[in-house]
Amino acid sequence: GAGVSQSPRYKVAKRGQDVALRCDPISGHVSLFWYQQALGQGPEFLTYFQNEAQLDKSGLPSDRFFAERPEGSVSTLKIQRTQQEDSAVYLCASSFLGSGGVETQYFGPGTRLLVL
Amino acid sequence: AQTVTQSQPEMSVQEAETVTLSCTYDTSESNYYLFWYKQPPSRQMILVIRQEAYKQQNATENRFSVNFQKAAKSFSLKISDSQLGDTAMYFCAFMKHEQGAQKLVFGQGTRLTINP
């Protein structure tokens, strides 16, 4: 079956522009995560959805970052007034909220954002 | 808060050799999960192996095995008979064991190169 997909794969933005990054999770996956991966670093958690509910947004670095998942499937991460320090790869992951056991997170290919 | 440390930024071995990647973590949790993820140059993060902290037996997946030392908070990955396709960034990650989906906390990564 199809994996997690993200679009666009690459985005170049001028400082101050708004950007929107899209994530299509695996069909039927209830949980959706966004991570930010700076160059040469490990991913860092941004936010988490269970269906359409945003249950944890503790990792969002500022109020310029906003995420939504209105119908419990596709999610969009929006960054307003982009800054150079926002340049990173943004990874989306989804998992199936089953009963018991550990949930494996399946990652998308990421969106590489470059802010000039 | 949990932290994950990978002390080897880069490693390089010859094809068919065995290589061990190190990972230590810090947590006050008694029950949790540990993961090794592989991120090839295409950037899609792939789960390699996972370990439940309550299990004493080390996890094994074909050529990949872990050495889990709970008291020492150490979780190393051994790759046997290394192949060119094993070339990638490897990330160690921690997840709390709580009901529902939980975020992953990643280390900084180890860049592994398998030479022909």
Side-chain angles (χ1 to χ4, degrees):
Chain A
V4 178
S5 61
Q6 293 185 245
S7 60
R9 291 293 309 277
Y10 302 92
K11 177 69 178 178
V12 179
K14 292 182 179 179
R15 190 172 55 183
Q17 279 186 331
D18 298 348
V19 298
L21 313 180
R22 177 188 169 108
C23 172
D24 283 85
I26 294 172
S27 178
H29 278 196
V30 169
S31 302
L32 187 146
F33 298 81
W34 283 98
Y35 294 87
Q36 180 190 57
Q37 186 176 20
L39 186 64
Q41 300 296 316
E44 293 190 354
F45 170 78
L46 292 176
T47 187
Y48 157 60
F49 290 86
Q50 182 176 317
N51 294 307
E52 68 278 6
Q54 189 174 19
L55 299 186
D56 187 350
K57 54 181 180 179
S58 62
L60 295 177
S62 78
D63 58 7
R64 297 186 295 104
F65 287 71
F66 171 76
E68 61 183 5
R69 195 186 183 196
E71 297 179 359
S73 178
V74 171
S75 177
T76 303
L77 176 66
K78 297 179 179 178
I79 308 173
Q80 296 177 324
R81 305 181 303 282
T82 52
Q83 304 294 315
Q84 286 185 323
E85 60 263 29
D86 300 334
S87 295
V89 175
Y90 291 85
L91 297 172
C92 176
S94 69
S95 66
F96 175 71
L97 187 61
S99 58
V102 61
E103 298 181 11
T104 296
Q105 292 185 23
Y106 296 89
F107 283 81
T111 294
R112 183 184 294 274
L113 173 65
L114 177 62
V115 181
L116 302 177
Chain B
Q2 291 78 31
T3 59
V4 178
T5 302
Q6 294 179 247
S7 58
Q8 304 153 312
E10 294 187 26
M11 295 190 71
S12 178
V13 298
Q14 296 297 120
E15 192 176 6
E17 290 184 345
T18 295
V19 59
T20 299
L21 309 183
S22 302
C23 172
T24 59
Y25 58 94
D26 189 23
T27 184
S28 58
E29 303 285 332
S30 58
N31 208 1
Y32 48 87
Y33 302 103
L34 295 165
F35 304 82
W36 279 98
Y37 276 89
K38 169 185 178 181
Q39 191 176 42
S42 66
R43 305 203 73 86
Q44 191 109 24
M45 195 88 72
I46 304 166
L47 177 67
V48 175
I49 197 167
R50 69 185 186 205
Q51 174 82 40
E52 290 86 345
Y54 62 87
K55 289 186 177 179
Q56 292 187 338
Q57 186 173 7
N58 289 323
T60 299
E61 289 286 343
N62 300 313
R63 298 183 295 107
F64 299 88
S65 61
V66 298
N67 183 4
F68 174 47
Q69 302 290 328
K70 191 172 184 179
K73 296 181 180 176
S74 171
F75 183 61
S76 61
L77 173 69
K78 185 173 81 171
I79 306 174
S80 302
D81 186 26
S82 57
Q83 301 175 359
L84 297 179
D86 295 334
T87 293
M89 284 289 290
Y90 285 80
F91 292 97
C92 178
F94 172 100
M95 179 192 289
K96 288 194 295 185
H97 182 199
E98 291 183 5
Q99 189 173 6
Q102 297 295 324
K103 65 183 179 186
L104 289 162
V105 177
F106 287 89
Q108 308 94 312
T110 296
R111 183 179 302 279
L112 176 64
T113 301
I114 309 299
N115 299 306

